[in-house]
Amino acid sequence: MDLRSDTVTKPTQGMRQAMANADVGDDVYGEDPTVIALEATAARLLGHEAALFCVTGSMANLLGVWLNTPVGGEVLCDERAHIVRAELGAHAAYHGVTSRTWSSPDGVARLSQIAAMVSEASPHLVPTRAIEIENTMNFASGVIQPLDEVRLISGFCHDRGLGLHLDGARLANACVATGVPLADYGRLATTVTLCLSKGLGAPMGSILASSGANIARARVERKRLGGGWRQAGVLAAAGLYALDHHYNRLSQDHRAASAMGEEIRARAPWAIAAGVATNIVVVRTGSLSAAEVVSRAGGQGLKLSAVGSHEVRAVAHLDVTYDDCVEAGRILGAILSGARP
Ligand SMILES: *Cc1c(COP(=O)(O)O)cnc(C)c1O
């Protein structure tokens, strides 16, 4: 059972068929009909004028933050945000963006906390140019950003002339769990991403959506980064198939993750917060190191990922069943029941 991430899913037969049959052309010339169709579909779904199909979510975030933040400007985000923890410093390395972080124990971004951090341009302080939020919040156990709070943050950014970048790697999970359409979150942000390669089950690819002018700029910058691709329609076909066939089924992953969480809680209540929001279960390992827990679980055929020195993550996805997740919860719960909080 591989629960390290929802990125480990393999394309289904139906998806492979769609890829094999895709109509393709040279996307750098703007001639791939399947890429054009995916970008149009994704823009509409996310409530924006235009969209860009990117190699990875990291590249989509790199372009999105860049659109909002000139060299030497700063982006504010959660200390556990993917852009500051898991993108290897790309925003600083390639685009001269600095970051300052807030700390939110439950992973929810709140305007009251964010507003107090904004710096105006001055000879003394790095000017804040953008706010970044993540929905769902990966390293905070897949927590959902409440729509009303995002609306407040969006209104604030609008009033203060700040960009709002929404890392929506798992926005589909947030939307399936809440019944909120993707566009309701998407249109609150200046730039929004969506990963097709996570729970949606495509082999690769992410979307960046924004205004037509922003996407035109991002298309040039994507090429500069080496991300101009040619007959990418074979991959766009997988993305379109994922949106059509794997969107609603995310609720199954949420049920499986929730059941896994209950099994863990029953054995080590201190290890996990009540209620798993979506498909991610982040578990504290107490007196055991994360590496030790990963190794013991591995010995019982369960693959997990360490996401901190004393935290492991298990993710439900397309290629594991409800029963697999219950069994994983029992294995992990039993390991943790032998640990001290
Ligand atoms: C996976 C992920 C990304 C993008 O990851 P890639 O591996 O570059 O596609 C971005 N943000 C979050 C929150 C993620 O979980």
Side-chain angles (χ1 to χ4, degrees), residues 62 65 71-72 75 83 87-99:
L62 184 59
V65 170
V71 172
V75 59
I83 63 163
E87 296 178 10
L88 306 182
H91 305 268
Y94 300 124
H95 291 147
V97 173
T98 67
S99 55

Side-chain angles (χ1 to χ4, degrees), residues 5-7 54-61 80-83 86-87 132-139 165 167-170 193 195-198 204-206 280 313:
S5 175
D6 45 9
T7 56
C54 298
V55 179
T56 58
S58 296
M59 185 181 274
N61 276 338
R80 287 183 285 179
H82 196 277
I83 63 163
E87 296 178 10
E132 192 266 0
I133 58 177
E134 192 176 303
N135 196 17
T136 66
M137 183 78 195
N138 173 31
F139 290 125
H165 179 70
D167 177 350
R170 296 188 184 79
T193 66
C195 285
L196 300 164
S197 58
K198 300 279 166 83
M204 61 183 289
S206 284
I280 300 179
R313 185 183 70 169

